[in-house]
Amino acid sequence: MTGTGVSDPVAASATAEQVTRYLDHLTVERGAATNTVTSYRRDLGRYEHYLVSRGITALSEVTENDVREFLVELRRGDRDAGQAPLADSSIARTLVAVRGFHKFAAAEGIVVDDVAHAVAPPRPARRLPKSLPIDEVLAILESAGAADHPRALRDRALLELLYSCGARISEAIALDVDDIDTETRAVRLRGKGGKERVVPVGGPAIDAIDAYLVRGRPALASRAKPALFLNARGGRLSRQSAWQVLSDAAQRAGLDKAVSPHTLRHSFATHLLDGGADVRVVQELLGHASVTTTQVYTLVTVNTMREVYATAHPRAR
């Protein structure tokens, strides 16, 4: 087989001949794009090399476990062969080629069973939520209320609320005036699936909301509207506009990173856990149906603890 970049023993294997048949099938009968066939040829060439290295020269000898072990090899890499470990996305792409090949072999009667059909791609690594240090959050909040005019008062109230109670941006812009109780310092949020929850609101956020209700919102409300956060025309503030409010505030605060409304939600959860809050309490505040969803934030705090330990403990290294 040509173009695989593998050694002669591999090229001479029966599996290599079957790969060639499969690639011809993709090209002629399926009309696959040239780039797709090239990608499959490279991925299956690596698969052939792996099988031969395990003493497997016939496709009928391959087991489901062999396919799974191949994915492990891809993730591990081969330093001696100059092959770097593959990312999960690249492994998943390679598995598509391998599964397609085995499915073709079974359909053509080359083998009895398709041993690769039940092999799943690796789970992508869990991405930790991005949160901001407390001083950067405070800088954003201060910059949002730098001016004393209706929209500035609204912007400060909106961002204070997002950080104070961890609300989703969709929950915040859906609020009506009656959903806020400034005396008991609580807000009623309507989350996913229409589920409601009442969460506490901190003093600075209540102060900002009071200032907005007294000096800001009346100037924006051209007619009677229940919405809490209004745009310049007196209608309910949109999701895009709320996002822009935060982006502008972050820019004025001098932050050179992307900041989204969800960043404030992540920061809310992380700062609570760093302060000793129970994960189940944070779950309720965030409106998560399962504590498993909230536990991703505990990974953030564990990583922070590791960093502090590594730099502060005399016997950490």
Side-chain angles (χ1 to χ4, degrees), residues 110-133:
I110 299 171
V111 295
V112 176
D113 298 316
D114 177 1
V115 298
H117 79 280
V119 179
R123 280 187 173 186
R126 180 180 291 187
R127 293 185 177 181
L128 298 180
K130 294 181 180 179
S131 62
L132 299 174

Side-chain angles (χ1 to χ4, degrees), residues 154 169-177 179 190 212 217 220 223 225-242:
R154 177 204 63 194
I169 188 61
S170 56
E171 295 171 341
I173 61 174
L175 286 173
D176 291 337
V177 174
D179 292 324
R190 296 171 183 84
Y212 164 62
R217 189 176 180 280
L220 297 174
R223 54 190 181 277
K225 287 281 186 178
L228 175 61
F229 296 112
L230 302 176
N231 59 32
R233 297 180 301 279
R236 189 180 295 273
L237 191 69
S238 69
R239 185 187 186 95
Q240 293 77 9
S241 296

Side-chain angles (χ1 to χ4, degrees), residues 245-316:
V245 165
L246 177 56
S247 296
D248 292 344
Q251 187 174 19
R252 287 195 299 270
L255 272 65
D256 58 352
K257 64 183 74 173
V259 180
S260 72
H262 229 62
T263 306
L264 291 185
R265 180 170 161 86
H266 294 328
S267 301
F268 162 83
T270 302
H271 296 167
L272 275 177
L273 290 168
D274 281 340
D278 184 271
V279 67
R280 293 191 178 275
V281 174
V282 178
Q283 172 199 353
E284 293 295 330
L285 292 172
L286 290 173
H288 286 163
S290 169
V291 72
T292 304
T293 309
T294 314
Q295 282 174 336
V296 67
Y297 294 101
T298 64
L299 299 178
V300 179
T301 58
V302 168
N303 285 348
T304 301
M305 286 189 288
R306 286 199 185 103
E307 292 176 6
V308 172
Y309 178 83
T311 57
H313 196 285
R315 303 282 286 181

Side-chain angles (χ1 to χ4, degrees), residues 140-157:
I140 290 174
L141 298 179
E142 290 295 332
S143 66
D148 189 19
H149 58 72
R151 277 184 289 177
L153 292 170
R154 177 204 63 194
D155 296 350
R156 178 65 178 266

